[in-house]
mmCIF file of all heavy atoms in Angstrom:
data_model
loop_
_atom_site.group_PDB
_atom_site.id
_atom_site.type_symbol
_atom_site.label_atom_id
_atom_site.label_comp_id
_atom_site.label_asym_id
_atom_site.label_seq_id
_atom_site.Cartn_x
_atom_site.Cartn_y
_atom_site.Cartn_z
ATOM 1 N N MET A 1371 102.965 79.348 147.643
ATOM 2 C CA MET A 1371 102.661 79.971 148.925
ATOM 3 C C MET A 1371 101.192 80.351 148.931
ATOM 4 O O MET A 1371 100.630 80.788 147.904
ATOM 5 C CB MET A 1371 103.469 81.255 149.128
ATOM 6 C CG MET A 1371 104.924 81.029 149.434
ATOM 7 S SD MET A 1371 105.192 80.666 151.197
ATOM 8 C CE MET A 1371 104.872 82.277 151.936
ATOM 9 N N PRO A 1372 100.507 80.219 150.071
ATOM 10 C CA PRO A 1372 99.112 80.648 150.122
ATOM 11 C C PRO A 1372 99.072 82.178 150.104
ATOM 12 O O PRO A 1372 100.042 82.834 150.468
ATOM 13 C CB PRO A 1372 98.639 80.110 151.468
ATOM 14 C CG PRO A 1372 99.890 80.057 152.298
ATOM 15 C CD PRO A 1372 100.969 79.638 151.346
ATOM 16 N N PRO A 1373 97.969 82.799 149.673
ATOM 17 C CA PRO A 1373 97.846 84.234 149.732
ATOM 18 C C PRO A 1373 98.044 84.706 151.156
ATOM 19 O O PRO A 1373 97.501 84.085 152.107
ATOM 20 C CB PRO A 1373 96.406 84.500 149.253
ATOM 21 C CG PRO A 1373 96.072 83.287 148.431
ATOM 22 C CD PRO A 1373 96.751 82.143 149.116
ATOM 23 N N LEU A 1374 98.811 85.737 151.343
ATOM 24 C CA LEU A 1374 99.121 86.202 152.699
ATOM 25 C C LEU A 1374 99.043 87.723 152.747
ATOM 26 O O LEU A 1374 99.718 88.402 151.979
ATOM 27 C CB LEU A 1374 100.515 85.735 153.094
ATOM 28 C CG LEU A 1374 100.874 85.792 154.597
ATOM 29 C CD1 LEU A 1374 99.985 84.853 155.383
ATOM 30 C CD2 LEU A 1374 102.368 85.421 154.789
ATOM 31 N N SER A 1375 98.192 88.219 153.622
ATOM 32 C CA SER A 1375 98.007 89.677 153.777
ATOM 33 C C SER A 1375 98.204 90.071 155.237
ATOM 34 O O SER A 1375 97.896 89.305 156.127
ATOM 35 C CB SER A 1375 96.618 90.128 153.307
ATOM 36 O OG SER A 1375 96.392 89.806 151.954
ATOM 37 N N PHE A 1376 98.751 91.284 155.441
ATOM 38 C CA PHE A 1376 98.960 91.812 156.778
ATOM 39 C C PHE A 1376 98.914 93.315 156.640
ATOM 40 O O PHE A 1376 98.449 93.838 155.640
ATOM 41 C CB PHE A 1376 100.282 91.295 157.365
ATOM 42 C CG PHE A 1376 101.391 91.170 156.379
ATOM 43 C CD1 PHE A 1376 102.287 92.229 156.156
ATOM 44 C CD2 PHE A 1376 101.577 90.000 155.625
ATOM 45 C CE1 PHE A 1376 103.321 92.131 155.233
ATOM 46 C CE2 PHE A 1376 102.626 89.900 154.706
ATOM 47 C CZ PHE A 1376 103.507 90.965 154.493
ATOM 48 N N VAL A 1377 99.338 94.036 157.672
ATOM 49 C CA VAL A 1377 99.310 95.492 157.615
ATOM 50 C C VAL A 1377 100.646 96.068 158.040
ATOM 51 O O VAL A 1377 101.442 95.417 158.694
ATOM 52 C CB VAL A 1377 98.187 96.101 158.508
ATOM 53 C CG1 VAL A 1377 96.810 95.608 158.037
ATOM 54 C CG2 VAL A 1377 98.397 95.729 159.963
ATOM 55 N N ASP A 1378 100.865 97.330 157.636
ATOM 56 C CA ASP A 1378 102.065 98.008 158.101
ATOM 57 C C ASP A 1378 101.749 98.843 159.332
ATOM 58 O O ASP A 1378 100.669 98.709 159.916
ATOM 59 C CB ASP A 1378 102.676 98.871 156.985
ATOM 60 C CG ASP A 1378 101.744 100.026 156.553
ATOM 61 O OD1 ASP A 1378 100.760 100.334 157.244
ATOM 62 O OD2 ASP A 1378 102.021 100.664 155.540
ATOM 63 N N ALA A 1379 102.707 99.654 159.785
ATOM 64 C CA ALA A 1379 102.524 100.405 161.017
ATOM 65 C C ALA A 1379 101.355 101.422 160.953
ATOM 66 O O ALA A 1379 100.816 101.787 161.961
ATOM 67 C CB ALA A 1379 103.825 101.131 161.393
ATOM 68 N N GLY A 1381 98.568 100.790 159.379
ATOM 69 C CA GLY A 1381 97.326 100.051 159.182
ATOM 70 C C GLY A 1381 96.981 99.780 157.720
ATOM 71 O O GLY A 1381 95.852 99.320 157.426
ATOM 72 N N ARG A 1382 97.892 100.077 156.813
ATOM 73 C CA ARG A 1382 97.647 99.850 155.387
ATOM 74 C C ARG A 1382 97.905 98.384 155.046
ATOM 75 O O ARG A 1382 98.870 97.775 155.513
ATOM 76 C CB ARG A 1382 98.558 100.747 154.560
ATOM 77 C CG ARG A 1382 98.274 102.242 154.733
ATOM 78 C CD ARG A 1382 99.337 103.090 154.050
ATOM 79 N NE ARG A 1382 100.660 102.921 154.627
ATOM 80 C CZ ARG A 1382 101.621 103.818 154.530
ATOM 81 N NH1 ARG A 1382 101.432 104.936 153.873
ATOM 82 N NH2 ARG A 1382 102.804 103.591 155.076
ATOM 83 N N ARG A 1383 97.041 97.841 154.219
ATOM 84 C CA ARG A 1383 97.158 96.437 153.812
ATOM 85 C C ARG A 1383 98.436 96.240 152.985
ATOM 86 O O ARG A 1383 98.746 97.026 152.102
ATOM 87 C CB ARG A 1383 95.941 96.016 153.013
ATOM 88 C CG ARG A 1383 96.072 94.593 152.441
ATOM 89 C CD ARG A 1383 94.792 94.125 151.848
ATOM 90 N NE ARG A 1383 94.987 92.867 151.045
ATOM 91 C CZ ARG A 1383 94.055 92.034 150.714
ATOM 92 N NH1 ARG A 1383 92.792 92.264 151.137
ATOM 93 N NH2 ARG A 1383 94.318 90.952 150.014
ATOM 94 N N VAL A 1384 99.100 95.113 153.266
ATOM 95 C CA VAL A 1384 100.275 94.689 152.506
ATOM 96 C C VAL A 1384 100.065 93.231 152.150
ATOM 97 O O VAL A 1384 99.665 92.425 152.976
ATOM 98 C CB VAL A 1384 101.600 94.868 153.329
ATOM 99 C CG1 VAL A 1384 102.793 94.394 152.486
ATOM 100 C CG2 VAL A 1384 101.759 96.290 153.788
ATOM 101 N N ASP A 1385 100.310 92.880 150.888
ATOM 102 C CA ASP A 1385 100.224 91.500 150.434
ATOM 103 C C ASP A 1385 101.656 90.987 150.189
ATOM 104 O O ASP A 1385 102.505 91.725 149.680
ATOM 105 C CB ASP A 1385 99.426 91.383 149.142
ATOM 106 C CG ASP A 1385 97.966 91.751 149.331
ATOM 107 O OD1 ASP A 1385 97.330 91.174 150.246
ATOM 108 O OD2 ASP A 1385 97.481 92.636 148.606
ATOM 109 N N LEU A 1386 101.866 89.740 150.513
ATOM 110 C CA LEU A 1386 103.188 89.143 150.271
ATOM 111 C C LEU A 1386 103.517 89.239 148.769
ATOM 112 O O LEU A 1386 104.661 89.423 148.404
ATOM 113 C CB LEU A 1386 103.236 87.701 150.732
ATOM 114 C CG LEU A 1386 104.623 87.065 150.746
ATOM 115 C CD1 LEU A 1386 105.553 87.744 151.757
ATOM 116 C CD2 LEU A 1386 104.511 85.576 151.074
ATOM 117 N N ALA A 1387 102.483 89.159 147.959
ATOM 118 C CA ALA A 1387 102.659 89.255 146.510
ATOM 119 C C ALA A 1387 103.240 90.614 146.087
ATOM 120 O O ALA A 1387 103.782 90.755 144.984
ATOM 121 C CB ALA A 1387 101.347 89.014 145.779
ATOM 122 N N ASP A 1388 103.130 91.641 146.951
ATOM 123 C CA ASP A 1388 103.665 92.971 146.628
ATOM 124 C C ASP A 1388 105.184 92.924 146.503
ATOM 125 O O ASP A 1388 105.786 93.827 145.896
ATOM 126 C CB ASP A 1388 103.307 93.980 147.710
ATOM 127 C CG ASP A 1388 101.803 94.240 147.773
ATOM 128 O OD1 ASP A 1388 101.106 93.962 146.784
ATOM 129 O OD2 ASP A 1388 101.355 94.733 148.813
ATOM 130 N N PHE A 1389 105.804 91.891 147.065
ATOM 131 C CA PHE A 1389 107.261 91.796 147.067
ATOM 132 C C PHE A 1389 107.798 90.894 145.929
ATOM 133 O O PHE A 1389 108.945 90.506 145.936
ATOM 134 C CB PHE A 1389 107.737 91.253 148.416
ATOM 135 C CG PHE A 1389 107.378 92.097 149.562
ATOM 136 C CD1 PHE A 1389 106.234 91.811 150.310
ATOM 137 C CD2 PHE A 1389 108.128 93.218 149.923
ATOM 138 C CE1 PHE A 1389 105.888 92.594 151.399
ATOM 139 C CE2 PHE A 1389 107.764 94.024 150.997
ATOM 140 C CZ PHE A 1389 106.619 93.702 151.742
ATOM 141 N N ILE A 1394 112.567 86.911 149.445
ATOM 142 C CA ILE A 1394 112.031 87.360 150.719
ATOM 143 C C ILE A 1394 112.374 86.389 151.850
ATOM 144 O O ILE A 1394 112.224 85.181 151.689
ATOM 145 C CB ILE A 1394 110.484 87.505 150.661
ATOM 146 C CG1 ILE A 1394 110.093 88.544 149.613
ATOM 147 C CG2 ILE A 1394 109.925 87.889 152.035
ATOM 148 C CD1 ILE A 1394 110.628 89.939 149.875
ATOM 149 N N LEU A 1396 110.871 85.737 155.094
ATOM 150 C CA LEU A 1396 109.697 86.034 155.879
ATOM 151 C C LEU A 1396 109.829 85.432 157.295
ATOM 152 O O LEU A 1396 109.830 84.213 157.447
ATOM 153 C CB LEU A 1396 108.451 85.462 155.204
ATOM 154 C CG LEU A 1396 107.119 85.563 155.952
ATOM 155 C CD1 LEU A 1396 106.707 87.040 156.150
ATOM 156 C CD2 LEU A 1396 106.041 84.795 155.196
ATOM 157 N N ASN A 1397 109.971 86.301 158.262
ATOM 158 C CA ASN A 1397 110.200 85.851 159.664
ATOM 159 C C ASN A 1397 108.938 86.094 160.479
ATOM 160 O O ASN A 1397 108.493 87.243 160.623
ATOM 161 C CB ASN A 1397 111.386 86.629 160.246
ATOM 162 C CG ASN A 1397 111.644 86.289 161.707
ATOM 163 O OD1 ASN A 1397 111.209 86.970 162.594
ATOM 164 N ND2 ASN A 1397 112.380 85.195 161.924
ATOM 165 N N LEU A 1398 108.375 85.052 161.015
ATOM 166 C CA LEU A 1398 107.208 85.125 161.896
ATOM 167 C C LEU A 1398 107.667 85.128 163.341
ATOM 168 O O LEU A 1398 108.376 84.208 163.763
ATOM 169 C CB LEU A 1398 106.269 83.949 161.646
ATOM 170 C CG LEU A 1398 105.489 83.850 160.331
ATOM 171 C CD1 LEU A 1398 104.647 85.077 160.067
ATOM 172 C CD2 LEU A 1398 106.418 83.513 159.177
ATOM 173 N N GLN A 1426 114.679 91.238 150.687
ATOM 174 C CA GLN A 1426 114.110 91.959 151.786
ATOM 175 C C GLN A 1426 113.750 90.997 152.912
ATOM 176 O O GLN A 1426 113.199 89.919 152.687
ATOM 177 C CB GLN A 1426 112.871 92.765 151.416
ATOM 178 C CG GLN A 1426 112.291 93.569 152.606
ATOM 179 C CD GLN A 1426 111.358 94.656 152.185
ATOM 180 O OE1 GLN A 1426 111.347 95.073 151.034
ATOM 181 N NE2 GLN A 1426 110.572 95.163 153.125
ATOM 182 N N VAL A 1427 114.057 91.405 154.132
ATOM 183 C CA VAL A 1427 113.583 90.719 155.306
ATOM 184 C C VAL A 1427 112.212 91.286 155.652
ATOM 185 O O VAL A 1427 112.054 92.487 155.807
ATOM 186 C CB VAL A 1427 114.527 90.945 156.524
ATOM 187 C CG1 VAL A 1427 113.930 90.304 157.788
ATOM 188 C CG2 VAL A 1427 115.907 90.378 156.240
ATOM 189 N N VAL A 1428 111.228 90.413 155.713
ATOM 190 C CA VAL A 1428 109.870 90.797 156.136
ATOM 191 C C VAL A 1428 109.630 90.183 157.476
ATOM 192 O O VAL A 1428 109.325 89.005 157.609
ATOM 193 C CB VAL A 1428 108.810 90.346 155.104
ATOM 194 C CG1 VAL A 1428 107.399 90.673 155.614
ATOM 195 C CG2 VAL A 1428 109.052 91.005 153.766
ATOM 196 N N ALA A 1429 109.805 90.963 158.527
ATOM 197 C CA ALA A 1429 109.615 90.514 159.904
ATOM 198 C C ALA A 1429 108.145 90.766 160.269
ATOM 199 O O ALA A 1429 107.753 91.920 160.480
ATOM 200 C CB ALA A 1429 110.560 91.235 160.856
ATOM 201 N N LEU A 1430 107.367 89.718 160.345
ATOM 202 C CA LEU A 1430 105.918 89.833 160.551
ATOM 203 C C LEU A 1430 105.579 89.456 161.996
ATOM 204 O O LEU A 1430 105.656 88.329 162.419
ATOM 205 C CB LEU A 1430 105.182 88.935 159.601
ATOM 206 C CG LEU A 1430 103.655 88.934 159.641
ATOM 207 C CD1 LEU A 1430 103.111 90.339 159.437
ATOM 208 C CD2 LEU A 1430 103.074 87.951 158.612
ATOM 209 N N SER A 1431 105.158 90.479 162.757
ATOM 210 C CA SER A 1431 104.854 90.292 164.162
ATOM 211 C C SER A 1431 103.456 89.706 164.359
ATOM 212 O O SER A 1431 102.473 90.161 163.743
ATOM 213 C CB SER A 1431 104.915 91.649 164.894
ATOM 214 O OG SER A 1431 104.296 91.558 166.166
ATOM 215 N N LEU A 1432 103.333 88.709 165.238
ATOM 216 C CA LEU A 1432 102.066 88.142 165.623
ATOM 217 C C LEU A 1432 101.531 88.672 166.923
ATOM 218 O O LEU A 1432 100.564 88.132 167.482
ATOM 219 C CB LEU A 1432 102.178 86.611 165.678
ATOM 220 C CG LEU A 1432 102.655 85.862 164.416
ATOM 221 C CD1 LEU A 1432 102.550 84.361 164.637
ATOM 222 C CD2 LEU A 1432 101.883 86.295 163.214
ATOM 223 N N THR A 1453 111.126 97.115 158.479
ATOM 224 C CA THR A 1453 109.830 97.753 158.442
ATOM 225 C C THR A 1453 108.873 97.039 159.369
ATOM 226 O O THR A 1453 108.940 95.804 159.573
ATOM 227 C CB THR A 1453 109.277 97.684 156.995
ATOM 228 O OG1 THR A 1453 110.222 98.298 156.103
ATOM 229 C CG2 THR A 1453 107.944 98.376 156.872
ATOM 230 N N VAL A 1454 107.989 97.786 160.000
ATOM 231 C CA VAL A 1454 106.987 97.187 160.908
ATOM 232 C C VAL A 1454 105.877 96.564 160.079
ATOM 233 O O VAL A 1454 105.183 97.256 159.297
ATOM 234 C CB VAL A 1454 106.400 98.234 161.841
ATOM 235 C CG1 VAL A 1454 105.220 97.666 162.648
ATOM 236 C CG2 VAL A 1454 107.438 98.787 162.787
ATOM 237 N N PHE A 1455 105.732 95.250 160.190
ATOM 238 C CA PHE A 1455 104.657 94.506 159.568
ATOM 239 C C PHE A 1455 103.910 93.761 160.663
ATOM 240 O O PHE A 1455 104.541 93.137 161.514
ATOM 241 C CB PHE A 1455 105.172 93.530 158.515
ATOM 242 C CG PHE A 1455 105.763 94.235 157.295
ATOM 243 C CD1 PHE A 1455 107.072 94.023 156.942
ATOM 244 C CD2 PHE A 1455 104.960 95.075 156.518
ATOM 245 C CE1 PHE A 1455 107.626 94.635 155.828
ATOM 246 C CE2 PHE A 1455 105.510 95.701 155.396
ATOM 247 C CZ PHE A 1455 106.816 95.475 155.052
ATOM 248 N N LEU A 1456 102.599 93.786 160.616
ATOM 249 C CA LEU A 1456 101.781 93.296 161.725
ATOM 250 C C LEU A 1456 100.698 92.324 161.290
ATOM 251 O O LEU A 1456 100.034 92.520 160.269
ATOM 252 C CB LEU A 1456 101.098 94.479 162.448
ATOM 253 C CG LEU A 1456 102.024 95.657 162.829
ATOM 254 C CD1 LEU A 1456 101.181 96.876 163.225
ATOM 255 C CD2 LEU A 1456 102.943 95.224 163.988
ATOM 256 N N ASP A 1457 100.528 91.280 162.105
ATOM 257 C CA ASP A 1457 99.446 90.300 161.900
ATOM 258 C C ASP A 1457 98.859 90.015 163.297
ATOM 259 O O ASP A 1457 99.028 88.899 163.800
ATOM 260 C CB ASP A 1457 99.996 89.053 161.249
ATOM 261 C CG ASP A 1457 98.940 87.968 161.064
ATOM 262 O OD1 ASP A 1457 97.727 88.309 161.075
ATOM 263 O OD2 ASP A 1457 99.309 86.799 160.886
ATOM 264 N N PRO A 1458 98.167 90.990 163.881
ATOM 265 C CA PRO A 1458 97.651 90.801 165.255
ATOM 266 C C PRO A 1458 96.622 89.690 165.398
ATOM 267 O O PRO A 1458 96.417 89.160 166.472
ATOM 268 C CB PRO A 1458 97.053 92.174 165.584
ATOM 269 C CG PRO A 1458 96.742 92.790 164.264
ATOM 270 C CD PRO A 1458 97.840 92.312 163.358
ATOM 271 N N GLY A 1459 95.981 89.343 164.288
ATOM 272 C CA GLY A 1459 95.009 88.258 164.310
ATOM 273 C C GLY A 1459 95.614 86.900 164.067
ATOM 274 O O GLY A 1459 94.906 85.867 164.093
ATOM 275 N N SER A 1460 96.935 86.860 163.867
ATOM 276 C CA SER A 1460 97.692 85.622 163.631
ATOM 277 C C SER A 1460 97.121 84.796 162.457
ATOM 278 O O SER A 1460 97.139 83.551 162.486
ATOM 279 C CB SER A 1460 97.722 84.759 164.900
ATOM 280 O OG SER A 1460 98.388 85.457 165.948
ATOM 281 N N GLU A 1461 96.646 85.460 161.431
ATOM 282 C CA GLU A 1461 96.119 84.746 160.265
ATOM 283 C C GLU A 1461 97.225 83.970 159.558
ATOM 284 O O GLU A 1461 96.961 82.879 158.994
ATOM 285 C CB GLU A 1461 95.480 85.727 159.292
ATOM 286 C CG GLU A 1461 94.251 86.479 159.828
ATOM 287 C CD GLU A 1461 93.137 85.531 160.190
ATOM 288 O OE1 GLU A 1461 92.965 84.516 159.461
ATOM 289 O OE2 GLU A 1461 92.399 85.803 161.164
ATOM 290 N N SER A 1462 98.427 84.477 159.585
ATOM 291 C CA SER A 1462 99.536 83.789 158.937
ATOM 292 C C SER A 1462 99.875 82.472 159.644
ATOM 293 O O SER A 1462 100.426 81.556 158.980
ATOM 294 C CB SER A 1462 100.782 84.680 158.934
ATOM 295 O OG SER A 1462 101.139 85.050 160.253
ATOM 296 N N LEU A 1466 100.176 79.370 157.034
ATOM 297 C CA LEU A 1466 101.450 78.731 156.855
ATOM 298 C C LEU A 1466 101.694 77.497 157.689
ATOM 299 O O LEU A 1466 102.745 76.914 157.687
ATOM 300 C CB LEU A 1466 102.588 79.760 157.143
ATOM 301 C CG LEU A 1466 102.621 81.017 156.263
ATOM 302 C CD1 LEU A 1466 103.676 81.989 156.739
ATOM 303 C CD2 LEU A 1466 102.877 80.626 154.805
ATOM 304 N N VAL A 1522 105.871 102.415 152.273
ATOM 305 C CA VAL A 1522 105.905 101.851 153.619
ATOM 306 C C VAL A 1522 106.997 102.555 154.447
ATOM 307 O O VAL A 1522 108.104 102.704 154.002
ATOM 308 C CB VAL A 1522 106.162 100.357 153.583
ATOM 309 C CG1 VAL A 1522 106.284 99.786 154.994
ATOM 310 C CG2 VAL A 1522 104.979 99.678 152.893
#
Side-chain angles (χ1 to χ4, degrees):
M1371 286 278 290
L1374 196 63
S1375 299
F1376 37 91
V1377 298
D1378 65 12
R1382 295 171 296 202
R1383 174 172 169 160
V1384 180
D1385 295 306
L1386 190 64
D1388 294 341
F1389 300 97
I1394 299 299
L1396 175 64
N1397 177 264
L1398 291 303
Q1426 182 162 343
V1427 175
V1428 175
L1430 181 57
S1431 165
L1432 302 187
T1453 302
V1454 173
F1455 292 120
L1456 309 167
D1457 179 20
S1460 298
E1461 295 299 325
S1462 58
L1466 299 174
V1522 175

